[in-house]
Structures are given as C-alpha cells and as structure tokens.
PDB file of all heavy atoms in Angstrom:
ATOM      1  N   MET A  29      20.699 -37.860 -43.661  1.00 89.00           N
ATOM      2  CA  MET A  29      20.585 -36.405 -43.673  1.00 89.00           C
ATOM      3  C   MET A  29      19.179 -35.982 -44.098  1.00 89.00           C
ATOM      4  O   MET A  29      18.539 -36.673 -44.906  1.00 89.00           O
ATOM      5  CB  MET A  29      21.590 -35.801 -44.663  1.00 89.00           C
ATOM      6  CG  MET A  29      23.037 -36.138 -44.398  1.00 89.00           C
ATOM      7  SD  MET A  29      23.693 -35.323 -42.912  1.00 89.00           S
ATOM      8  CE  MET A  29      23.594 -33.600 -43.413  1.00 89.00           C
ATOM      9  N   PRO A  30      18.688 -34.836 -43.604  1.00 89.00           N
ATOM     10  CA  PRO A  30      17.428 -34.306 -44.134  1.00 89.00           C
ATOM     11  C   PRO A  30      17.662 -33.743 -45.530  1.00 89.00           C
ATOM     12  O   PRO A  30      18.723 -33.184 -45.819  1.00 89.00           O
ATOM     13  CB  PRO A  30      17.059 -33.208 -43.130  1.00 89.00           C
ATOM     14  CG  PRO A  30      18.367 -32.782 -42.545  1.00 89.00           C
ATOM     15  CD  PRO A  30      19.229 -33.997 -42.508  1.00 89.00           C
ATOM     16  N   SER A  31      16.679 -33.891 -46.396  1.00 85.00           N
ATOM     17  CA  SER A  31      16.811 -33.339 -47.741  1.00 85.00           C
ATOM     18  C   SER A  31      16.757 -31.812 -47.726  1.00 85.00           C
ATOM     19  O   SER A  31      17.475 -31.146 -48.469  1.00 85.00           O
ATOM     20  CB  SER A  31      15.687 -33.869 -48.643  1.00 85.00           C
ATOM     21  OG  SER A  31      15.750 -35.275 -48.729  1.00 85.00           O
ATOM     22  N   GLN A  32      15.925 -31.254 -46.872  1.00 87.00           N
ATOM     23  CA  GLN A  32      15.776 -29.805 -46.771  1.00 87.00           C
ATOM     24  C   GLN A  32      15.499 -29.424 -45.327  1.00 87.00           C
ATOM     25  O   GLN A  32      15.009 -30.234 -44.537  1.00 87.00           O
ATOM     26  CB  GLN A  32      14.615 -29.312 -47.652  1.00 87.00           C
ATOM     27  CG  GLN A  32      14.824 -29.550 -49.138  1.00 87.00           C
ATOM     28  CD  GLN A  32      13.640 -29.042 -49.943  1.00 87.00           C
ATOM     29  OE1 GLN A  32      12.519 -28.973 -49.434  1.00 87.00           O
ATOM     30  NE2 GLN A  32      13.883 -28.674 -51.182  1.00 87.00           N
ATOM     31  N   VAL A  33      15.816 -28.188 -44.997  1.00 87.00           N
ATOM     32  CA  VAL A  33      15.510 -27.678 -43.669  1.00 87.00           C
ATOM     33  C   VAL A  33      15.267 -26.178 -43.775  1.00 87.00           C
ATOM     34  O   VAL A  33      15.876 -25.494 -44.609  1.00 87.00           O
ATOM     35  CB  VAL A  33      16.669 -27.972 -42.689  1.00 87.00           C
ATOM     36  CG1 VAL A  33      17.924 -27.226 -43.065  1.00 87.00           C
ATOM     37  CG2 VAL A  33      16.255 -27.651 -41.256  1.00 87.00           C
ATOM     38  N   GLU A  34      14.381 -25.679 -42.963  1.00 88.00           N
ATOM     39  CA  GLU A  34      14.095 -24.253 -42.983  1.00 88.00           C
ATOM     40  C   GLU A  34      15.196 -23.463 -42.281  1.00 88.00           C
ATOM     41  O   GLU A  34      15.840 -23.953 -41.349  1.00 88.00           O
ATOM     42  CB  GLU A  34      12.749 -23.974 -42.299  1.00 88.00           C
ATOM     43  CG  GLU A  34      11.545 -24.507 -43.054  1.00 88.00           C
ATOM     44  CD  GLU A  34      10.241 -24.060 -42.430  1.00 88.00           C
ATOM     45  OE1 GLU A  34      10.288 -23.210 -41.504  1.00 88.00           O
ATOM     46  OE2 GLU A  34       9.184 -24.541 -42.856  1.00 88.00           O
ATOM     47  N   LEU A  35      15.387 -22.254 -42.744  1.00 88.00           N
ATOM     48  CA  LEU A  35      16.365 -21.366 -42.147  1.00 88.00           C
ATOM     49  C   LEU A  35      16.051 -21.142 -40.671  1.00 88.00           C
ATOM     50  O   LEU A  35      14.898 -20.935 -40.289  1.00 88.00           O
ATOM     51  CB  LEU A  35      16.351 -20.018 -42.896  1.00 88.00           C
ATOM     52  CG  LEU A  35      17.350 -18.962 -42.426  1.00 88.00           C
ATOM     53  CD1 LEU A  35      18.768 -19.420 -42.713  1.00 88.00           C
ATOM     54  CD2 LEU A  35      17.052 -17.625 -43.106  1.00 88.00           C
ATOM     55  N   ASN A  36      17.107 -21.233 -39.833  1.00 87.00           N
ATOM     56  CA  ASN A  36      17.005 -21.020 -38.383  1.00 87.00           C
ATOM     57  C   ASN A  36      16.116 -22.040 -37.675  1.00 87.00           C
ATOM     58  O   ASN A  36      15.647 -21.787 -36.561  1.00 87.00           O
ATOM     59  CB  ASN A  36      16.512 -19.595 -38.067  1.00 87.00           C
ATOM     60  CG  ASN A  36      17.505 -18.535 -38.514  1.00 87.00           C
ATOM     61  OD1 ASN A  36      18.710 -18.724 -38.386  1.00 87.00           O
ATOM     62  ND2 ASN A  36      16.993 -17.440 -39.066  1.00 87.00           N
ATOM     63  N   SER A  37      15.861 -23.155 -38.326  1.00 88.00           N
ATOM     64  CA  SER A  37      15.095 -24.237 -37.704  1.00 88.00           C
ATOM     65  C   SER A  37      16.050 -25.369 -37.315  1.00 88.00           C
ATOM     66  O   SER A  37      17.130 -25.522 -37.901  1.00 88.00           O
ATOM     67  CB  SER A  37      14.031 -24.771 -38.671  1.00 88.00           C
ATOM     68  OG  SER A  37      13.064 -23.774 -38.920  1.00 88.00           O
ATOM     69  N   PRO A  38      15.666 -26.200 -36.360  1.00 91.00           N
ATOM     70  CA  PRO A  38      16.544 -27.301 -35.946  1.00 91.00           C
ATOM     71  C   PRO A  38      16.876 -28.233 -37.109  1.00 91.00           C
ATOM     72  O   PRO A  38      16.005 -28.599 -37.901  1.00 91.00           O
ATOM     73  CB  PRO A  38      15.717 -28.024 -34.877  1.00 91.00           C
ATOM     74  CG  PRO A  38      14.795 -26.984 -34.354  1.00 91.00           C
ATOM     75  CD  PRO A  38      14.445 -26.120 -35.519  1.00 91.00           C
ATOM     76  N   LEU A  39      18.132 -28.587 -37.203  1.00 91.00           N
ATOM     77  CA  LEU A  39      18.624 -29.516 -38.228  1.00 91.00           C
ATOM     78  C   LEU A  39      19.294 -30.668 -37.490  1.00 91.00           C
ATOM     79  O   LEU A  39      20.251 -30.463 -36.747  1.00 91.00           O
ATOM     80  CB  LEU A  39      19.615 -28.803 -39.149  1.00 91.00           C
ATOM     81  CG  LEU A  39      20.091 -29.531 -40.416  1.00 91.00           C
ATOM     82  CD1 LEU A  39      20.708 -28.525 -41.385  1.00 91.00           C
ATOM     83  CD2 LEU A  39      21.096 -30.629 -40.114  1.00 91.00           C
ATOM     84  N   GLU A  40      18.772 -31.850 -37.689  1.00 93.00           N
ATOM     85  CA  GLU A  40      19.320 -33.024 -37.017  1.00 93.00           C
ATOM     86  C   GLU A  40      19.665 -34.092 -38.043  1.00 93.00           C
ATOM     87  O   GLU A  40      18.926 -34.285 -39.015  1.00 93.00           O
ATOM     88  CB  GLU A  40      18.319 -33.583 -36.004  1.00 93.00           C
ATOM     89  CG  GLU A  40      17.965 -32.619 -34.884  1.00 93.00           C
ATOM     90  CD  GLU A  40      16.955 -33.208 -33.921  1.00 93.00           C
ATOM     91  OE1 GLU A  40      16.428 -34.306 -34.217  1.00 93.00           O
ATOM     92  OE2 GLU A  40      16.698 -32.591 -32.872  1.00 93.00           O
ATOM     93  N   TYR A  41      20.790 -34.759 -37.810  1.00 94.00           N
ATOM     94  CA  TYR A  41      21.153 -35.888 -38.674  1.00 94.00           C
ATOM     95  C   TYR A  41      21.943 -36.904 -37.854  1.00 94.00           C
ATOM     96  O   TYR A  41      22.362 -36.620 -36.726  1.00 94.00           O
ATOM     97  CB  TYR A  41      21.938 -35.430 -39.906  1.00 94.00           C
ATOM     98  CG  TYR A  41      23.284 -34.809 -39.626  1.00 94.00           C
ATOM     99  CD1 TYR A  41      24.450 -35.565 -39.629  1.00 94.00           C
ATOM    100  CD2 TYR A  41      23.401 -33.439 -39.388  1.00 94.00           C
ATOM    101  CE1 TYR A  41      25.691 -35.002 -39.404  1.00 94.00           C
ATOM    102  CE2 TYR A  41      24.640 -32.859 -39.157  1.00 94.00           C
ATOM    103  CZ  TYR A  41      25.787 -33.647 -39.168  1.00 94.00           C
ATOM    104  OH  TYR A  41      27.013 -33.076 -38.939  1.00 94.00           O
ATOM    105  N   SER A  42      22.120 -38.107 -38.427  1.00 94.00           N
ATOM    106  CA  SER A  42      22.786 -39.183 -37.679  1.00 94.00           C
ATOM    107  C   SER A  42      23.888 -39.816 -38.515  1.00 94.00           C
ATOM    108  O   SER A  42      23.850 -39.808 -39.749  1.00 94.00           O
ATOM    109  CB  SER A  42      21.775 -40.258 -37.265  1.00 94.00           C
ATOM    110  OG  SER A  42      21.232 -40.902 -38.397  1.00 94.00           O
ATOM    111  N   ILE A  43      24.863 -40.357 -37.806  1.00 94.00           N
ATOM    112  CA  ILE A  43      25.989 -41.070 -38.415  1.00 94.00           C
ATOM    113  C   ILE A  43      26.055 -42.440 -37.749  1.00 94.00           C
ATOM    114  O   ILE A  43      26.110 -42.541 -36.519  1.00 94.00           O
ATOM    115  CB  ILE A  43      27.312 -40.316 -38.202  1.00 94.00           C
ATOM    116  CG1 ILE A  43      27.248 -38.920 -38.819  1.00 94.00           C
ATOM    117  CG2 ILE A  43      28.488 -41.098 -38.776  1.00 94.00           C
ATOM    118  CD1 ILE A  43      28.419 -38.030 -38.421  1.00 94.00           C
ATOM    119  N   ARG A  44      26.056 -43.479 -38.572  1.00 95.00           N
ATOM    120  CA  ARG A  44      26.157 -44.850 -38.043  1.00 95.00           C
ATOM    121  C   ARG A  44      27.448 -45.469 -38.561  1.00 95.00           C
ATOM    122  O   ARG A  44      27.699 -45.487 -39.766  1.00 95.00           O
ATOM    123  CB  ARG A  44      24.952 -45.689 -38.485  1.00 95.00           C
ATOM    124  CG  ARG A  44      24.961 -47.130 -37.970  1.00 95.00           C
ATOM    125  CD  ARG A  44      23.747 -47.875 -38.504  1.00 95.00           C
ATOM    126  NE  ARG A  44      23.735 -49.271 -38.113  1.00 95.00           N
ATOM    127  CZ  ARG A  44      23.191 -49.744 -37.000  1.00 95.00           C
ATOM    128  NH1 ARG A  44      22.601 -48.909 -36.166  1.00 95.00           N
ATOM    129  NH2 ARG A  44      23.215 -51.026 -36.719  1.00 95.00           N
ATOM    130  N   VAL A  45      28.261 -45.982 -37.632  1.00 95.00           N
ATOM    131  CA  VAL A  45      29.524 -46.623 -37.988  1.00 95.00           C
ATOM    132  C   VAL A  45      29.422 -48.099 -37.623  1.00 95.00           C
ATOM    133  O   VAL A  45      29.138 -48.439 -36.472  1.00 95.00           O
ATOM    134  CB  VAL A  45      30.712 -45.972 -37.253  1.00 95.00           C
ATOM    135  CG1 VAL A  45      32.023 -46.661 -37.626  1.00 95.00           C
ATOM    136  CG2 VAL A  45      30.787 -44.483 -37.578  1.00 95.00           C
ATOM    137  N   THR A  46      29.652 -48.977 -38.615  1.00 95.00           N
ATOM    138  CA  THR A  46      29.476 -50.422 -38.425  1.00 95.00           C
ATOM    139  C   THR A  46      30.781 -51.156 -38.694  1.00 95.00           C
ATOM    140  O   THR A  46      31.440 -50.915 -39.711  1.00 95.00           O
ATOM    141  CB  THR A  46      28.388 -50.969 -39.365  1.00 95.00           C
ATOM    142  OG1 THR A  46      27.175 -50.245 -39.157  1.00 95.00           O
ATOM    143  CG2 THR A  46      28.138 -52.448 -39.102  1.00 95.00           C
ATOM    144  N   ASN A  47      31.156 -52.039 -37.791  1.00 94.00           N
ATOM    145  CA  ASN A  47      32.310 -52.920 -37.979  1.00 94.00           C
ATOM    146  C   ASN A  47      31.892 -54.060 -38.902  1.00 94.00           C
ATOM    147  O   ASN A  47      31.028 -54.866 -38.561  1.00 94.00           O
ATOM    148  CB  ASN A  47      32.770 -53.456 -36.621  1.00 94.00           C
ATOM    149  CG  ASN A  47      33.960 -54.396 -36.728  1.00 94.00           C
ATOM    150  OD1 ASN A  47      34.460 -54.658 -37.811  1.00 94.00           O
ATOM    151  ND2 ASN A  47      34.407 -54.906 -35.591  1.00 94.00           N
ATOM    152  N   LEU A  48      32.505 -54.145 -40.067  1.00 92.00           N
ATOM    153  CA  LEU A  48      32.137 -55.173 -41.051  1.00 92.00           C
ATOM    154  C   LEU A  48      32.897 -56.475 -40.842  1.00 92.00           C
ATOM    155  O   LEU A  48      32.631 -57.452 -41.544  1.00 92.00           O
ATOM    156  CB  LEU A  48      32.421 -54.655 -42.464  1.00 92.00           C
ATOM    157  CG  LEU A  48      31.676 -53.386 -42.889  1.00 92.00           C
ATOM    158  CD1 LEU A  48      32.116 -52.967 -44.290  1.00 92.00           C
ATOM    159  CD2 LEU A  48      30.171 -53.584 -42.840  1.00 92.00           C
ATOM    160  N   THR A  49      33.819 -56.499 -39.899  1.00 89.00           N
ATOM    161  CA  THR A  49      34.681 -57.664 -39.743  1.00 89.00           C
ATOM    162  C   THR A  49      34.215 -58.557 -38.599  1.00 89.00           C
ATOM    163  O   THR A  49      33.332 -58.202 -37.832  1.00 89.00           O
ATOM    164  CB  THR A  49      36.136 -57.231 -39.466  1.00 89.00           C
ATOM    165  OG1 THR A  49      36.250 -56.761 -38.107  1.00 89.00           O
ATOM    166  CG2 THR A  49      36.570 -56.121 -40.408  1.00 89.00           C
ATOM    167  N   GLY A  50      34.843 -59.697 -38.494  1.00 87.00           N
ATOM    168  CA  GLY A  50      34.576 -60.614 -37.396  1.00 87.00           C
ATOM    169  C   GLY A  50      35.524 -60.436 -36.230  1.00 87.00           C
ATOM    170  O   GLY A  50      35.575 -61.276 -35.341  1.00 87.00           O
ATOM    171  N   ALA A  51      36.289 -59.329 -36.239  1.00 87.00           N
ATOM    172  CA  ALA A  51      37.251 -59.060 -35.167  1.00 87.00           C
ATOM    173  C   ALA A  51      36.889 -57.761 -34.463  1.00 87.00           C
ATOM    174  O   ALA A  51      36.105 -56.956 -34.969  1.00 87.00           O
ATOM    175  CB  ALA A  51      38.670 -58.979 -35.744  1.00 87.00           C
ATOM    176  N   ILE A  52      37.469 -57.540 -33.299  1.00 88.00           N
ATOM    177  CA  ILE A  52      37.281 -56.286 -32.573  1.00 88.00           C
ATOM    178  C   ILE A  52      38.169 -55.217 -33.208  1.00 88.00           C
ATOM    179  O   ILE A  52      39.361 -55.444 -33.439  1.00 88.00           O
ATOM    180  CB  ILE A  52      37.625 -56.452 -31.087  1.00 88.00           C
ATOM    181  CG1 ILE A  52      36.674 -57.459 -30.424  1.00 88.00           C
ATOM    182  CG2 ILE A  52      37.569 -55.113 -30.355  1.00 88.00           C
ATOM    183  CD1 ILE A  52      37.028 -57.772 -28.985  1.00 88.00           C
ATOM    184  N   LEU A  53      37.594 -54.063 -33.502  1.00 89.00           N
ATOM    185  CA  LEU A  53      38.352 -52.962 -34.088  1.00 89.00           C
ATOM    186  C   LEU A  53      38.568 -51.882 -33.037  1.00 89.00           C
ATOM    187  O   LEU A  53      37.621 -51.379 -32.439  1.00 89.00           O
ATOM    188  CB  LEU A  53      37.608 -52.365 -35.288  1.00 89.00           C
ATOM    189  CG  LEU A  53      37.584 -53.181 -36.579  1.00 89.00           C
ATOM    190  CD1 LEU A  53      36.847 -52.419 -37.666  1.00 89.00           C
ATOM    191  CD2 LEU A  53      38.997 -53.507 -37.041  1.00 89.00           C
ATOM    192  N   SER A  54      39.819 -51.525 -32.812  1.00 89.00           N
ATOM    193  CA  SER A  54      40.166 -50.453 -31.887  1.00 89.00           C
ATOM    194  C   SER A  54      40.782 -49.298 -32.667  1.00 89.00           C
ATOM    195  O   SER A  54      41.348 -49.490 -33.735  1.00 89.00           O
ATOM    196  CB  SER A  54      41.153 -50.955 -30.822  1.00 89.00           C
ATOM    197  OG  SER A  54      40.592 -52.004 -30.068  1.00 89.00           O
ATOM    198  N   GLY A  55      40.676 -48.104 -32.113  1.00 90.00           N
ATOM    199  CA  GLY A  55      41.315 -46.949 -32.738  1.00 90.00           C
ATOM    200  C   GLY A  55      40.537 -46.344 -33.887  1.00 90.00           C
ATOM    201  O   GLY A  55      41.123 -45.656 -34.726  1.00 90.00           O
ATOM    202  N   VAL A  56      39.224 -46.578 -33.961  1.00 93.00           N
ATOM    203  CA  VAL A  56      38.409 -45.973 -35.020  1.00 93.00           C
ATOM    204  C   VAL A  56      38.110 -44.524 -34.641  1.00 93.00           C
ATOM    205  O   VAL A  56      37.635 -44.245 -33.545  1.00 93.00           O
ATOM    206  CB  VAL A  56      37.091 -46.747 -35.225  1.00 93.00           C
ATOM    207  CG1 VAL A  56      36.235 -46.080 -36.300  1.00 93.00           C
ATOM    208  CG2 VAL A  56      37.388 -48.203 -35.594  1.00 93.00           C
ATOM    209  N   VAL A  57      38.405 -43.597 -35.554  1.00 94.00           N
ATOM    210  CA  VAL A  57      38.206 -42.167 -35.313  1.00 94.00           C
ATOM    211  C   VAL A  57      37.304 -41.605 -36.408  1.00 94.00           C
ATOM    212  O   VAL A  57      37.554 -41.811 -37.596  1.00 94.00           O
ATOM    213  CB  VAL A  57      39.546 -41.407 -35.299  1.00 94.00           C
ATOM    214  CG1 VAL A  57      39.312 -39.907 -35.070  1.00 94.00           C
ATOM    215  CG2 VAL A  57      40.471 -41.969 -34.224  1.00 94.00           C
ATOM    216  N   VAL A  58      36.237 -40.926 -35.990  1.00 94.00           N
ATOM    217  CA  VAL A  58      35.296 -40.303 -36.929  1.00 94.00           C
ATOM    218  C   VAL A  58      35.459 -38.786 -36.825  1.00 94.00           C
ATOM    219  O   VAL A  58      35.429 -38.228 -35.722  1.00 94.00           O
ATOM    220  CB  VAL A  58      33.841 -40.697 -36.611  1.00 94.00           C
ATOM    221  CG1 VAL A  58      32.876 -40.013 -37.580  1.00 94.00           C
ATOM    222  CG2 VAL A  58      33.677 -42.206 -36.661  1.00 94.00           C
ATOM    223  N   THR A  59      35.639 -38.128 -37.973  1.00 93.00           N
ATOM    224  CA  THR A  59      35.781 -36.672 -38.021  1.00 93.00           C
ATOM    225  C   THR A  59      34.691 -36.094 -38.908  1.00 93.00           C
ATOM    226  O   THR A  59      34.499 -36.553 -40.039  1.00 93.00           O
ATOM    227  CB  THR A  59      37.158 -36.266 -38.564  1.00 93.00           C
ATOM    228  OG1 THR A  59      38.180 -36.857 -37.760  1.00 93.00           O
ATOM    229  CG2 THR A  59      37.326 -34.744 -38.544  1.00 93.00           C
ATOM    230  N   GLU A  60      33.981 -35.109 -38.388  1.00 94.00           N
ATOM    231  CA  GLU A  60      32.905 -34.448 -39.123  1.00 94.00           C
ATOM    232  C   GLU A  60      33.276 -32.977 -39.336  1.00 94.00           C
ATOM    233  O   GLU A  60      33.486 -32.229 -38.372  1.00 94.00           O
ATOM    234  CB  GLU A  60      31.590 -34.563 -38.346  1.00 94.00           C
ATOM    235  CG  GLU A  60      30.410 -33.872 -38.987  1.00 94.00           C
ATOM    236  CD  GLU A  60      29.825 -34.667 -40.154  1.00 94.00           C
ATOM    237  OE1 GLU A  60      30.538 -35.553 -40.689  1.00 94.00           O
ATOM    238  OE2 GLU A  60      28.679 -34.415 -40.512  1.00 94.00           O
ATOM    239  N   GLU A  61      33.386 -32.573 -40.604  1.00 93.00           N
ATOM    240  CA  GLU A  61      33.681 -31.185 -40.950  1.00 93.00           C
ATOM    241  C   GLU A  61      32.350 -30.453 -41.151  1.00 93.00           C
ATOM    242  O   GLU A  61      31.598 -30.743 -42.090  1.00 93.00           O
ATOM    243  CB  GLU A  61      34.520 -31.117 -42.222  1.00 93.00           C
ATOM    244  CG  GLU A  61      35.881 -31.784 -42.117  1.00 93.00           C
ATOM    245  CD  GLU A  61      36.833 -31.040 -41.203  1.00 93.00           C
ATOM    246  OE1 GLU A  61      36.589 -29.825 -40.967  1.00 93.00           O
ATOM    247  OE2 GLU A  61      37.791 -31.659 -40.717  1.00 93.00           O
ATOM    248  N   LEU A  62      32.061 -29.513 -40.260  1.00 92.00           N
ATOM    249  CA  LEU A  62      30.796 -28.779 -40.324  1.00 92.00           C
ATOM    250  C   LEU A  62      30.934 -27.553 -41.236  1.00 92.00           C
ATOM    251  O   LEU A  62      31.994 -26.919 -41.277  1.00 92.00           O
ATOM    252  CB  LEU A  62      30.383 -28.320 -38.922  1.00 92.00           C
ATOM    253  CG  LEU A  62      30.198 -29.426 -37.875  1.00 92.00           C
ATOM    254  CD1 LEU A  62      29.929 -28.800 -36.513  1.00 92.00           C
ATOM    255  CD2 LEU A  62      29.077 -30.367 -38.268  1.00 92.00           C
ATOM    256  N   PRO A  63      29.862 -27.204 -41.941  1.00 90.00           N
ATOM    257  CA  PRO A  63      29.903 -25.980 -42.755  1.00 90.00           C
ATOM    258  C   PRO A  63      29.928 -24.729 -41.866  1.00 90.00           C
ATOM    259  O   PRO A  63      29.499 -24.762 -40.708  1.00 90.00           O
ATOM    260  CB  PRO A  63      28.623 -26.073 -43.580  1.00 90.00           C
ATOM    261  CG  PRO A  63      27.719 -26.963 -42.813  1.00 90.00           C
ATOM    262  CD  PRO A  63      28.596 -27.929 -42.071  1.00 90.00           C
ATOM    263  N   GLU A  64      30.411 -23.630 -42.422  1.00 89.00           N
ATOM    264  CA  GLU A  64      30.540 -22.390 -41.657  1.00 89.00           C
ATOM    265  C   GLU A  64      29.192 -21.876 -41.161  1.00 89.00           C
ATOM    266  O   GLU A  64      29.099 -21.296 -40.079  1.00 89.00           O
ATOM    267  CB  GLU A  64      31.226 -21.327 -42.516  1.00 89.00           C
ATOM    268  CG  GLU A  64      32.707 -21.577 -42.748  1.00 89.00           C
ATOM    269  CD  GLU A  64      33.509 -21.516 -41.458  1.00 89.00           C
ATOM    270  OE1 GLU A  64      33.134 -20.735 -40.559  1.00 89.00           O
ATOM    271  OE2 GLU A  64      34.511 -22.250 -41.338  1.00 89.00           O
ATOM    272  N   ASP A  65      28.148 -22.052 -41.958  1.00 88.00           N
ATOM    273  CA  ASP A  65      26.847 -21.471 -41.618  1.00 88.00           C
ATOM    274  C   ASP A  65      25.940 -22.462 -40.894  1.00 88.00           C
ATOM    275  O   ASP A  65      24.726 -22.430 -41.018  1.00 88.00           O
ATOM    276  CB  ASP A  65      26.163 -20.955 -42.895  1.00 88.00           C
ATOM    277  CG  ASP A  65      26.973 -19.837 -43.530  1.00 88.00           C
ATOM    278  OD1 ASP A  65      27.354 -18.908 -42.791  1.00 88.00           O
ATOM    279  OD2 ASP A  65      27.245 -19.907 -44.736  1.00 88.00           O
ATOM    280  N   PHE A  66      26.573 -23.378 -40.146  1.00 90.00           N
ATOM    281  CA  PHE A  66      25.828 -24.312 -39.304  1.00 90.00           C
ATOM    282  C   PHE A  66      26.303 -24.127 -37.872  1.00 90.00           C
ATOM    283  O   PHE A  66      27.496 -24.239 -37.568  1.00 90.00           O
ATOM    284  CB  PHE A  66      26.053 -25.754 -39.755  1.00 90.00           C
ATOM    285  CG  PHE A  66      25.422 -26.788 -38.862  1.00 90.00           C
ATOM    286  CD1 PHE A  66      24.063 -27.046 -38.938  1.00 90.00           C
ATOM    287  CD2 PHE A  66      26.180 -27.504 -37.944  1.00 90.00           C
ATOM    288  CE1 PHE A  66      23.478 -27.999 -38.111  1.00 90.00           C
ATOM    289  CE2 PHE A  66      25.611 -28.460 -37.124  1.00 90.00           C
ATOM    290  CZ  PHE A  66      24.254 -28.703 -37.210  1.00 90.00           C
ATOM    291  N   GLU A  67      25.380 -23.832 -36.990  1.00 90.00           N
ATOM    292  CA  GLU A  67      25.695 -23.664 -35.579  1.00 90.00           C
ATOM    293  C   GLU A  67      25.305 -24.934 -34.831  1.00 90.00           C
ATOM    294  O   GLU A  67      24.126 -25.250 -34.703  1.00 90.00           O
ATOM    295  CB  GLU A  67      24.940 -22.462 -34.999  1.00 90.00           C
ATOM    296  CG  GLU A  67      25.238 -22.215 -33.534  1.00 90.00           C
ATOM    297  CD  GLU A  67      24.389 -21.097 -32.947  1.00 90.00           C
ATOM    298  OE1 GLU A  67      23.667 -20.417 -33.718  1.00 90.00           O
ATOM    299  OE2 GLU A  67      24.436 -20.920 -31.718  1.00 90.00           O
TER     300      GLU A  67
END
C-alpha cells in the first residue's frame, strides 16, 4: 500500500497471494472491502 496519497489523485496498490504448500490449491477466494470514500 502507499503510505500517503493526495486527495483526488490516483491511488494504486497490489495484492499478492502465494500458495505455501506443495499441492495445487483450488477454490481460493480473495475479498477486498473498499472504504466508502474510495472510487
């Protein structure tokens, strides 16, 4: 995540999901709850 961002300026961030096991993982679901004041 960025530490700070200016009002009405682009805000970009990334999410990395890593399989820690030696097997294939199926059915992984990622949910991101966005704040109200983020478009």
